[in-house]
């Protein structure tokens, strides 16, 4: 039977990015019901808009014609700013995931980010879509689906503007059915072809807002899922939601993301019913999951392999990091196989055991050892890593080779405090219990023996990093 | 007396022992010493759906030109291969291979009930499943499963990529994924990783076991790869592209004593819905230049006859061009075979029949699993029926 501490840690790791070290009291004293209530409350307010663009960049995105007035040097400057913005939006959101109190919202927005993958170099569009995901992460899926489908980022990614009357482009129609709603096998090729015609006329205005051009729209009759009419795009989205398969497909994906890499089909069906009957209210589905007694059973502890983003954000919540060169976050994402705003393809990240192989597992295990603590104001040993060009492209990045060192300050205060009063010989066990979802899979002496026993504090720090380097730390 | 090195090495357990190569044997590491006969497959996956009709162009077929008023390649622009076809102008190395009898082209390769979704069709090709089946293992992983003892060693199948493809995942064994050997070298010297594996106590937690097993296989495999990739001196000039670097490493490993039988790499950029001309040119050129260097290198090393490079895509593209100067997803496609050991060369079967299409797409004439069965049985000496789940008629190109 899991202890109260284990259940609470489990909830925070699944409904967020893991307990912050400062939440230690909560983890020890509160009931899971109280913690769940607090998670919802902390995510109730509307999110602030995350913006990394300055006035100049923003205006060039909104009015691309402005760039014509720039000279060569000006255009180069804007292009360079653009690359910086690409980096910054990634870092900004990663920081939000690591530091925000609205853990449930950021975790669910992260889910939707993987469910609705896009890739764009237009950071304004990327920001707008991110805001849609964060605003509706816990709301209604119908609203979320519509707003995402009509976002500039998604429309451009799936060629909505190439889809015109008389010359349909099926890309969006196919992916919205296969990936975003019904799932495979629940539609025919004919449904896709007809739906593509219904989606014609959709366009992206210069400032990124949604527009409709009647002259491009194929207004004639279409037959989709056996229903004939002069359907428009919004009608098709409605049809997709009417079908229960959509609820099942989404629920199964969310189950894998929140509960276990190997879904229980009966539970998925039961939860899908809840979701469907609620009219696709995401919060209803989440309530059903996080208040279910089975959610807290032993077999689900450590049933998931953390995604790279969960790993990074989780480490930062335990021991807040201030890297001298934040571009290392990008390099780490790339090496571990998941970069925010850069999905491998429109199906997103498959997750589960696919995160783990002969390259990524050693990289995860060595991550804590790369951190080198420097005091505030110490001279910077490293120049800028300048990974943006390799990270946001298909070029292979340089590996985390020998000699890679990530200079950082680490705020140990809150983390160390939780071990006050714990006897020295019990420290390794206490650290393991607070960081791991399952028991240590190696003798405690391996951890104790590799730690720096000089002082109690040095022991705590190094043993913590050692536990974070174990394979079992990859599970949550 | 010279012991046949390869059989000597295979007889010893490579899993934990570090190989000590006596200095006197190093003198025999000239390329030609590596005994011939150890056949190797290099699977080159062209990701995104390569447009076969603009790759192996049916230069005498009016229907092709009619269907692609602006996208079709004029005969004069192509590299003639026989009377009926021309290669895309970027494929100079492939044209050379055609001329010296080391290129085979199988046309209209696909499967029944084709799927036009990238992920689904790629999963079908990689798992060798039927179109309606969902299989969680890949054909190369299952090949590893059938290798004695206890399902082979992970180094027998190597993939050059960030993540391990489904193709490489078996029921018990996985192949190894690596980006390059330099990265692996830093692993083998890591004491903490070694100790973690050595001191692991089995607690029967399934996910944890998966992680520890992966770690253990990684460390032992890494040792083998690093050792063998280093043995050969710098070889022919390869282009600086991702594919160039991977093929260079593969060539080095082929010329070494490593027990790898299958190499897997992928090359993207083929999903040419919009503005196909430039994108396709770029993707094909990168492939051509890397493969050209690879062929030259293997020939110089005397290993070209033992290597079979197979170039394939998850589907071809529609015969008609679309409204965006590109093409949309199709189904059956041509497949390349490149190597010195081909028994059948050139056009192995008839070019696609553009007068008898399946709703605008080329009809498949050869099931891709026949190609796999042929490779498994005749090149890798494996039980193709056990790997593929049923018997597929073998082809005669090897």
């Amino acid at each position: 039977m899991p202890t109260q501490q284990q259940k609470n840690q489990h909830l925070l790791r699944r409904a967020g990015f893991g307990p912050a070290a400062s939440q230690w009291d909560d983890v020890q004293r509160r009931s899971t019901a109280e913690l769940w209530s607090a998670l919802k409350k902390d995510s109730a307010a509307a999110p602030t808009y995350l913006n990394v663009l300055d006035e100049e960049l923003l205006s060039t995105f909104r009015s691309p014609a402005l760039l014509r007035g720039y000279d060569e040097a000006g255009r180069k400057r804007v292009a360079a700013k653009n690359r910086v913005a690409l980096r910054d939006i990634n870092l900004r959101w990663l920081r939000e995931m690591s530091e925000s109190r609205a853990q449930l919202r950021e975790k669910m927005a992260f889910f939707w980010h993987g469910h609705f993958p896009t890739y764009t170099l237009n950071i304004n569009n990327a920001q707008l879509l991110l805001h849609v995901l964060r605003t509706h992460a816990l709301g209604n899926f119908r609203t979320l689906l519509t707003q995402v489908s009509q976002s500039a980022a998604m429309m451009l990614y799936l060629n909505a503007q190439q889809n015109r009357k008389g010359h349909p482009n099926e890309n969006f129609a196919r992916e919205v059915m296969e990936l975003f709603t019904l799932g495979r096998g629940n539609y025919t090729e004919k449904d896709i072809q007809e739906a593509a015609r219904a989606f014609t006329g959709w366009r992206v205005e210069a400032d990124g807002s949604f527009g409709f051009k009647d002259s491009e729209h194929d207004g004639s009759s279409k037959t989709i899922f056996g229903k004939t009419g002069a359907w428009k795009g919004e009608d098709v989205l409605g049809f997709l939601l009417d079908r229960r398969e959509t609820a099942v497909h989404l629920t199964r994906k969310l189950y894998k993301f929140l509960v276990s890499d190997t879904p229980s089909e009966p539970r998925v069906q039961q939860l899908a019913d809840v979701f469907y009957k609620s009219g696709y209210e995401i919060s209803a589905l989440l309530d059903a999951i996080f208040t279910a007694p089975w959610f807290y059973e032993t077999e689900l502890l450590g049933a998931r392999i953390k995604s790279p983003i969960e790993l990074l954000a989780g480490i930062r919540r335990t021991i807040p990091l201030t890297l001298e060169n934040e571009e290392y976050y990008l390099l780490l994402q790339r090496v571990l196989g998941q970069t925010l705003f850069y999905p491998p393809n429109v199906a997103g990240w498959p997750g589960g055991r696919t995160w783990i192989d002969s390259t990524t597992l050693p990289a995860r295990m060595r991550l804590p050892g790369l951190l080198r603590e420097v005091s505030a104001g110490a001279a910077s040993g490293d120049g800028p890593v300048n990974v943006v060009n390799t990270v946001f492209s298909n070029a292979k990045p340089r590996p985390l080779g020998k000699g890679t060192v990530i200079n950082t300050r680490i705020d140990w205060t809150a983390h160390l405090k939780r071990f006050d009063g714990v006897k020295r010989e019990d420290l390794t066990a206490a650290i393991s219990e607070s960081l791991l979802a399952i028991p240590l899979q190696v003798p405690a002496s391996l951890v104790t023996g590799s730690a720096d026993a000089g002082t109690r504090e040095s022991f705590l720090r190094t043993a913590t990093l050692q536990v974070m380097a174990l394979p079992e730390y990859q599970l949550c | 007396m010279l012991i046949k090195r390869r059989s000597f090495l295979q007889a010893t357990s490579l899993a934990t022992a570090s190989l000590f190569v006596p200095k006197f044997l190093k003198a025999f590491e000239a390329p030609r010493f590596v005994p011939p006969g150890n056949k190797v497959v290099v699977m080159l996956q062209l990701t995104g759906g390569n447009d076969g009709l603009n790759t192996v162009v049916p230069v005498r077929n009016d229907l092709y030109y009619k269907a692609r008023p602006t996208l079709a390649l004029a005969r004069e622009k192509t590299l003639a291969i026989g009377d009926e076809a021309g290669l895309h102008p970027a494929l100079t190395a492939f044209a050379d291979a055609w001329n010296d009898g080391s290129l085979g082209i199988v046309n209209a390769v696909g499967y029944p009930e084709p799927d036009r979704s990238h992920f689904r069709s790629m999963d079908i090709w990689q798992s060798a499943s039927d179109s309606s089946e969902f299989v969680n293992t890949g054909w190369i992983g299952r090949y590893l499963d059938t290798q004695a003892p206890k399902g082979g060693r992970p180094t027998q199948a190597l993939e050059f990529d960030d993540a391990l493809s489904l193709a490489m995942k078996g029921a018990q064994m996985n192949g190894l994924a690596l980006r390059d050997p330099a990265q692996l070298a830093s692993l083998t010297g890591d004491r903490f990783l070694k100790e973690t594996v050595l001191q692991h106590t089995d607690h029967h937690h399934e996910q944890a076991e998966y992680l520890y097993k992966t770690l253990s296989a990684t460390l032992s495999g890494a040792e083998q790869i690093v050792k063998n990739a280093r043995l050969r001196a710098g070889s022919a000039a390869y282009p600086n592209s991702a594919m160039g670097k991977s093929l260079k490493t593969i060539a080095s490993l082929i010329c070494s004593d490593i027990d790898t039988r299958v190499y897997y790499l992928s090359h993207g950029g083929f999903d040419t819905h919009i503005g196909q001309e430039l994108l396709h040119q770029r993707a094909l050129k990168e492939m051509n230049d890397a493969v050209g260097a690879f062929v030259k290198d293997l020939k110089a090393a005397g290993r070209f006859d033992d290597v079979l490079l197979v170039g394939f895509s998850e589907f071809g593209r529609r015969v008609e061009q679309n409204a965006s100067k590109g093409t949309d997803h199709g189904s059956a496609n041509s497949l390349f075979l490149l190597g010195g050991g081909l028994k059948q060369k050139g056009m192995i079967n008839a070019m696609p029949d553009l007068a008898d299409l399946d709703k605008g797409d080329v009809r498949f004439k050869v099931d891709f699993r026949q190609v796999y069965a042929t490779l498994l049985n005749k090149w890798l000496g494996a039980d193709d029926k056990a790997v593929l789940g049923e018997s597929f008629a073998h082809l005669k190109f090897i």
Side-chain angles (χ1 to χ4, degrees):
Chain A
M1 255 320 282
T3 62
Q4 192 58 47
Q5 174 184 336
Q6 283 172 321
K7 288 192 211 172
N8 287 346
Q9 284 172 178
H10 177 66
L11 175 61
L12 292 174
R13 284 180 191 134
R14 302 302 185 80
F17 292 94
S22 54
Q23 289 179 289
W24 182 236
D25 270 351
D26 287 349
V27 164
Q28 292 223 284
R29 292 184 221 294
R30 303 251 225 150
S31 68
T32 50
E34 285 176 312
L35 269 188
W36 173 232
S37 207
L39 276 164
K40 286 190 287 187
K41 192 149 165 274
D42 286 339
S43 291
T48 52
Y49 186 74
L50 298 181
N51 176 45
V52 301
L53 302 173
D54 66 10
E55 272 312 308
E56 179 178 37
L57 263 186
L58 201 49
S59 59
T60 57
F61 280 127
R62 286 206 184 116
S63 322
L66 273 180
L67 276 175
R68 275 186 241 133
Y70 281 67
D71 63 8
E72 176 79 18
R75 262 179 256 149
K76 276 200 169 147
R77 192 188 68 244
V78 168
K81 269 195 186 179
N82 207 18
R83 281 197 297 280
V84 169
L86 200 52
R87 172 199 73 188
D88 286 350
I89 186 73
N90 177 301
L91 297 178
R92 183 67 190 86
W93 194 24
L94 184 61
R95 175 153 58 95
E96 195 69 17
M97 291 170 178
S98 310
E99 296 175 5
S100 171
R101 285 184 64 98
Q103 284 288 291
L104 181 65
R105 172 180 67 230
E106 298 305 331
K107 189 75 183 281
M108 284 304 294
F110 174 52
F111 171 75
W112 296 119
H113 179 70
H115 181 70
F116 291 117
T118 58
Y119 174 60
T120 177
L121 291 171
N122 180 324
I123 312 304
N124 188 38
N125 290 347
Q127 287 184 170
L128 290 168
L129 178 56
L130 178 62
H131 196 62
V132 164
L133 298 180
R134 293 173 67 237
T135 303
H136 300 287
L138 306 173
N140 186 289
F141 181 71
R142 180 184 302 263
T143 312
L144 180 61
L145 175 67
T146 308
Q147 299 225 350
V148 170
S149 301
Q150 295 180 339
S151 68
M154 183 60 79
M155 287 181 58
L156 293 172
Y157 186 59
L158 293 180
N159 311 126
Q161 299 208 118
Q162 274 76 40
N163 184 25
R164 299 194 313 275
K165 175 161 104 179
H167 288 113
N169 180 307
E170 294 168 10
N171 212 1
F172 175 70
R174 179 180 306 282
E175 310 308 358
V176 77
M177 290 194 199
E178 176 179 344
L179 300 170
F180 302 160
T181 57
L182 299 170
R184 296 207 31 85
N186 294 319
Y187 50 85
T188 63
E189 282 295 309
K190 185 77 177 167
D191 290 326
I192 292 179
Q193 283 158 21
E194 298 284 84
R197 293 171 50 217
F199 286 118
T200 50
W202 283 21
R203 52 180 289 112
V204 181
E205 304 299 352
D207 65 357
S209 61
F210 174 74
F212 181 76
K213 197 161 179 191
D214 204 56
S215 59
E216 299 285 2
H217 175 65
D218 176 347
S220 58
S221 174
K222 308 145 189 100
T223 304
I224 307 174
F225 304 127
K227 288 198 270 254
T228 307
W231 307 125
K232 284 198 150 98
E234 290 82 350
D235 297 318
V236 175
L237 295 182
F239 296 155
L240 297 173
L241 295 166
D242 287 341
R243 301 172 91 73
R244 191 179 166 276
E245 290 94 329
T246 294
V248 175
H249 183 229
L250 289 170
T251 302
R252 192 179 292 116
K253 262 189 103 171
L254 198 54
Y255 192 96
K256 281 182 165 173
F257 183 80
L258 295 176
V259 182
S260 167
D261 286 341
T262 46
S264 142
E265 203 50 35
R267 279 190 203 140
V268 166
Q269 292 296 331
Q270 181 246 320
L271 290 167
D273 272 340
V274 171
F275 193 32
Y276 187 67
K277 287 184 182 147
S278 75
Y280 290 96
E281 290 296 335
I282 297 161
S283 55
L285 179 53
L286 296 177
D287 260 323
I289 294 172
F290 292 120
T291 58
W294 50 255
F295 181 74
Y296 298 94
E297 282 166 9
T298 310
E299 61 170 19
L300 289 182
L301 303 188
R304 290 186 66 254
I305 295 175
K306 293 176 190 168
S307 62
I309 295 298
E310 289 168 72
L311 179 65
L312 291 174
I315 290 174
R316 288 174 72 169
R317 284 183 75 66
T318 305
I319 46 172
L321 305 172
T322 310
L323 302 195
E324 266 183 4
N325 186 344
E326 289 219 312
E327 290 198 356
Y328 275 112
Y329 285 132
L330 293 171
L331 189 61
L332 290 172
Q333 288 174 55
R334 186 56 199 256
V335 167
L336 298 180
Q338 181 176 47
T339 304
L340 291 174
F341 300 99
Y342 195 59
N345 52 51
V346 63
W349 294 279
R353 288 185 176 184
T354 65
W355 291 128
I356 302 296
D357 63 41
S358 50
T359 311
T360 58
L361 181 56
R364 287 171 174 239
M365 292 174 67
R366 294 161 118 192
L367 208 175
L370 297 176
L371 301 172
R372 179 172 74 188
E373 285 193 75
V374 294
S375 43
S380 167
D382 241 14
V385 173
N386 213 348
V387 295
V388 176
N389 285 336
T390 51
V391 169
F392 294 102
S393 75
N394 287 319
K396 295 188 172 169
R398 67 176 172 86
L400 286 177
K402 249 187 181 168
T404 300
V405 155
I406 302 177
N407 288 339
T408 181
R409 294 200 302 283
I410 303 181
D411 183 357
W412 287 100
T413 329
H415 175 70
L416 295 184
K417 200 153 175 287
R418 56 170 111 175
F419 303 106
D420 284 349
V422 176
K423 286 196 215 138
R424 180 69 175 247
E425 59 266 25
D426 298 332
L427 281 178
T428 300
I431 293 170
S432 306
E433 272 155 28
S434 74
L435 294 181
L436 302 176
I438 62 172
L440 265 182
Q441 305 282 296
V442 290
S445 54
L446 177 60
V447 174
T448 315
S450 341
D452 175 357
T455 64
R456 184 183 163 90
E457 186 167 312
S458 69
F459 179 83
L460 278 168
R461 295 185 187 200
T462 50
T464 295
L465 293 176
Q466 205 68 284
V467 169
M468 285 179 170
L470 291 170
E472 38 272 52
Y473 187 68
Q474 304 311 318
L475 301 176
C476 82
Chain B
M1 180 192 87
L2 287 174
I3 306 163
K4 277 209 175 109
R5 268 191 91 203
R6 220 171 252 279
S7 47
F8 169 67
L9 290 169
Q10 278 172 348
T12 65
S13 163
L14 295 177
T16 49
S18 268
L19 273 178
F20 169 59
V21 180
K23 277 214 179 93
F24 71 85
L25 276 180
K26 281 213 192 287
F28 296 100
E29 274 162 17
R32 254 181 320 133
F33 179 82
V34 178
N38 259 297
K39 296 188 171 20
V40 153
V41 173
V42 180
M43 296 301 294
L44 174 58
Q45 172 182 296
L46 306 180
T47 313
N50 178 39
D51 184 18
L53 285 173
N54 269 21
T55 308
V56 182
V57 181
V59 291
R60 287 205 185 280
N61 198 328
D62 283 338
L63 295 173
Y64 165 73
Y65 289 100
K66 246 173 131 180
R68 298 180 170 200
T70 57
L71 212 53
L73 291 170
R75 186 154 159 243
E76 318 75 78
K77 287 221 166 87
T78 64
L79 306 170
I81 47 170
D83 276 332
E84 302 288 309
L87 286 177
H88 187 288
L91 297 179
T92 50
F94 286 75
D96 289 343
W98 173 283
N99 290 328
D100 72 20
S102 50
L103 177 68
I105 297 173
V106 189
N107 291 294
V109 180
Y111 54 91
E113 310 288 315
D115 199 301
R116 290 170 188 76
S117 137
H118 290 297
F119 326 105
R120 191 55 201 132
S121 200
M122 191 53 90
D123 279 355
I124 290 166
W125 272 79
Q126 292 198 1
S127 65
S129 68
D130 286 341
S131 176
S132 54
E133 281 185 294
F134 289 84
V135 173
N136 286 329
T137 55
W139 70 281
I140 298 170
R142 296 197 301 271
Y143 159 70
L144 287 180
D145 287 340
T146 63
Q147 295 301 290
K150 282 205 209 132
R153 286 176 292 272
T155 41
Q156 285 180 304
L158 294 182
E159 178 171 7
F160 282 74
D161 209 332
D162 284 334
L164 200 66
S165 296
L166 175 62
M168 305 280 285
K169 295 181 179 171
Q172 294 109 40
M173 291 295 307
N174 278 349
L176 265 176
L178 67 149
R179 257 180 260 119
D180 55 55
Q183 185 181 37
L184 290 184
S186 68
L187 280 187
T188 54
D190 193 317
R191 233 196 95 242
F192 174 67
L193 295 183
K194 282 202 180 124
E195 283 303 310
T196 306
V197 166
L198 288 173
Q199 296 196 38
H200 172 50
T201 48
D202 188 348
H203 284 183
H204 304 291
H205 187 279
E206 213 187 309
Q207 289 280 45
E209 281 318 291
Y210 175 72
L211 297 179
Y212 276 90
K213 205 176 82 160
T214 304
L215 185 61
S216 174
T218 300
L219 291 181
S220 62
E223 219 167 287
Q224 290 312 308
I225 295 168
V226 167
K227 197 176 312 287
N228 284 291
R230 255 197 225 133
L231 291 177
R232 193 160 164 257
S235 48
Y238 281 80
N240 203 27
S241 60
M243 202 168 137
K245 291 186 185 144
S246 299
L247 284 177
K248 181 172 183 175
T249 304
I250 290 175
S252 292
L253 291 172
I254 288 174
C255 294
S256 79
D257 286 309
I258 200 167
D259 57 358
T260 312
R261 302 303 304 279
V262 183
Y263 296 91
Y264 203 97
L265 71 162
S266 61
H267 178 47
F270 290 97
D271 191 21
T272 48
H273 287 282
I274 305 181
Q276 172 166 319
E277 192 183 332
L278 267 178
L279 293 176
H280 200 207
Q281 158 80 24
R282 194 185 307 156
L284 287 180
K285 181 154 184 3
E286 182 174 326
M287 174 182 81
N288 180 76
D289 294 351
V291 170
F294 183 60
V295 167
K296 215 166 146 201
D297 196 6
L298 289 175
K299 281 181 175 171
R303 292 287 274 135
F304 190 51
D305 288 358
D306 295 323
V307 178
L308 189 53
L309 180 100
V310 181
F312 72 96
S313 227
E314 69 268 39
F315 42 64
R317 301 188 87 79
R318 283 215 207 279
V319 177
E320 265 197 33
Q321 68 184 68
N322 65 21
S324 316
K325 304 210 180 108
T327 49
D328 294 327
H329 303 174
S331 53
N333 203 1
S334 45
L335 177 146
F336 287 110
L337 301 162
L338 202 66
L342 287 174
K343 290 220 177 82
Q344 283 181 330
K345 303 127 195 281
M347 222 46 95
I348 287 174
N349 62 348
M351 302 261 296
D353 182 353
L354 299 184
D356 175 33
L357 298 177
D358 172 19
K359 288 191 222 94
D361 289 332
V362 173
R363 277 186 203 283
F364 91 97
K365 292 278 154 54
V366 174
D367 191 307
F368 73 93
R369 288 161 294 180
Q370 290 183 263
V371 177
Y372 287 178
T374 313
L375 294 173
L376 285 163
N377 178 283
K378 298 195 186 172
W379 205 254
L380 298 173
D383 180 351
D384 56 286
K385 185 163 176 213
V387 173
L388 299 175
E390 54 179 286
S391 287
F392 290 93
H394 298 163
L395 300 171
K396 300 199 173 94
F397 54 85
I398 43 178

